[in-house]
Amino acid sequence: VSEGSSDADAVTVTGQAGFTPTGPVHFYVCPLASSPCTSTSVGVTNLGTATLTPSSASVDVATATSASFSAPTTGTYCFLGIYAGNPHYSVSSDGSTPDECFTVGNSVL
């Protein structure tokens, strides 16, 4: 990602047959120095919550996308998504995996 550009995180929650995942997903982003990324990490940015939206292709799948994030400086950042769960599904998160991280570099003019 070029400096000055923004990025967002997206989650897909796949449930059991016949039970659509519902509820909020809370999103955060941490600088790589805060590894693993947690909601209380030093330098964490709280991106707020998004509500899962059921998939039109499958009743068992729902998705949510975070607010956009523009990094204040170059470096590596990692997203964290925490699914609050519902009566059928437990709380879960996806932070600090390599595919949740991105590098912000200098923009080339």
Side-chain angles (χ1 to χ4, degrees):
V1 175
S2 296
E3 187 176 13
S5 298
S6 62
D7 199 2
D9 193 17
V11 299
T12 299
V13 178
T14 303
Q16 302 168 359
F19 295 100
T20 303
T22 59
V25 178
H26 205 119
F27 292 96
Y28 302 89
V29 64
C30 296
L32 188 59
S34 296
S35 182
C37 183
T38 68
S39 62
T40 59
S41 293
V42 173
V44 67
T45 299
N46 182 338
L47 298 177
T49 59
T51 301
L52 287 170
T53 302
S55 167
S56 59
S58 171
V59 70
D60 309 338
V61 177
T63 60
T65 302
S66 72
S68 293
F69 171 75
S70 295
T73 62
T74 59
T76 301
Y77 297 83
C78 298
F79 283 116
L80 168 65
I82 301 174
Y83 171 50
N86 70 19
H88 297 285
Y89 303 111
S90 301
V91 173
S92 61
S93 77
D94 66 351
S96 298
T97 61
D99 56 346
E100 288 294 313
C101 298
F102 61 99
T103 300
V104 176
N106 291 324
S107 28
V108 178
L109 299 176

